[in-house]
Amino acid sequence: MAVTASLKLPEALSSVVRLTAEEKEIKKIPRWYFGGMACSTAACCTHPIDMMKVHLQTHTADGKLRIFQSMINLVKARGVRTLYVGLTASVTRESIYSGARFGIYEVLKPDPGTPARPFYMKVVTAAFAGAFGGFIGAPFDLINVRMLSDIKVPVERKRNYRHVVDGFLRICREEGPLQLYNGASMVVLRAICITVGQLSFYDQVKQTLLGLPYFEDTLPTHLLSSAVAACTATTLAMPVDVMKTRMQNAPPGKYKSMASCFMDTAKTGPLSFYKGYFPAFTRVGFHTVITFLTFEQLRIHFGKDTE
């Protein structure tokens, strides 16, 4: 009888551990607009890096363009405020694009207390949310890239958008409303890659960590989960991001399709698709970490109770 009791003891302890892991997550669910708020906060912090990433991706001349030296030269020549050119477009884009993808992903998650979804369902949900968010945010992404690129182009080619609304109205008036979706296919594809890398991987890594006895629903767990999500998102989205930036910054008619942009980029070698990887990783890394840390704090302190 003692032997039987000893055999049942590990099973009993296992069930206690599983129950504890399920109860670890703080019983608060985020509101639909927390994602947009968190991503907008992150955009304000990482905007200078985003500007230098765009400069690297559109750099076609011979020779290397070094990010930190370029940033220092830019500040010396034009002042610190230059690093925040296009911030209105960036924040508007994040509010709409990220607000939509985070909101959809959270709405489609199972109710608290129900079994967690398998990982492939998280990927499918994130892909759908990213596609929708990317589509509605494409016009503001276009304006953001153009405003960032304005710093380096010759005077006669500068667009000089004063802010995001001015850019939106001028594109509609001067080029036609359809031009707002120039390169939209690449925006949607990148949004899918980014959202899968960020949301589904963050969700899965966090769930796995909370299943271990060493982690709680606290800052270290959020930090480690967001770091893994940042690495995944950057690697998945980088080739698409390079082509997207080139298509959006190109003169009308230069690229007739995604394939023509792909072939033009490939002429300089396969590593061209990872041009600017370090600043992109730095930007996506900081952006992802700040986003999820902000998102989790909003959830914990201002989220809706589930009990």
Side-chain angles (χ1 to χ4, degrees), residues 3 6 29 39 48 52 62 102 114 133 143 160 164 183 193 200 204 207 209-210 228 233 246-247 268 285 296 298 301:
V3 174
S6 64
I29 58 175
C39 288
M52 301 316 300
D62 294 333
F102 269 79
T114 58
I143 298 168
N160 294 319
V164 62
C193 295
S200 62
Q204 185 65 34
Q207 178 187 324
L209 293 178
L210 290 179
V228 175
R246 291 194 172 194
M247 288 183 72
T268 52
E296 292 287 8
L298 289 171
H301 295 289

Side-chain angles (χ1 to χ4, degrees), residues 205-284:
V205 173
K206 180 184 172 185
Q207 178 187 324
T208 302
L209 293 178
L210 290 179
L212 301 175
Y214 316 104
F215 293 92
E216 302 289 338
D217 192 6
T218 53
L219 184 63
T221 302
H222 305 157
L223 188 61
L224 182 55
S225 302
S226 60
V228 175
C231 294
T232 309
T234 305
T235 304
L236 288 176
M238 191 66 207
V240 180
D241 197 24
V242 170
M243 291 193 292
K244 175 190 74 71
T245 301
R246 291 194 172 194
M247 288 183 72
Q248 290 180 326
N249 198 51
K254 180 177 181 179
Y255 297 125
K256 296 181 180 179
S257 65
M258 191 186 306
S260 64
C261 182
F262 178 88
M263 296 304 296
D264 184 62
T265 306
K267 288 178 181 178
T268 52
L271 291 181
S272 297
F273 292 100
Y274 284 89
K275 197 171 188 178
Y277 184 87
F278 176 71
F281 177 77
T282 305
R283 187 259 179 190
V284 172

Side-chain angles (χ1 to χ4, degrees), residues 279-290:
F281 177 77
T282 305
R283 187 259 179 190
V284 172
F286 280 127
H287 189 281
T288 302
V289 169
I290 294 169

Side-chain angles (χ1 to χ4, degrees), residues 77-89:
R78 308 194 183 191
V80 177
R81 290 183 59 184
T82 307
L83 296 177
Y84 282 90
V85 169
L87 182 61
T88 58

Side-chain angles (χ1 to χ4, degrees), residues 9 26 44 65 76 104 151 227 240:
L9 183 58
I26 295 174
C44 292
L65 186 64
K76 286 181 178 178
I104 292 172
I151 298 297
V240 180

Side-chain angles (χ1 to χ4, degrees), residues 41-78:
T41 302
C44 292
C45 300
T46 61
H47 190 75
I49 302 175
D50 201 25
M51 169 179 284
M52 301 316 300
K53 180 206 71 173
V54 170
H55 283 206
L56 282 171
Q57 291 176 345
T58 56
H59 181 66
T60 56
D62 294 333
K64 292 184 177 180
L65 186 64
R66 302 186 182 279
I67 177 172
F68 293 116
Q69 188 60 47
S70 299
M71 187 179 292
I72 292 171
N73 293 340
L74 189 62
V75 170
K76 286 181 178 178
R78 308 194 183 191

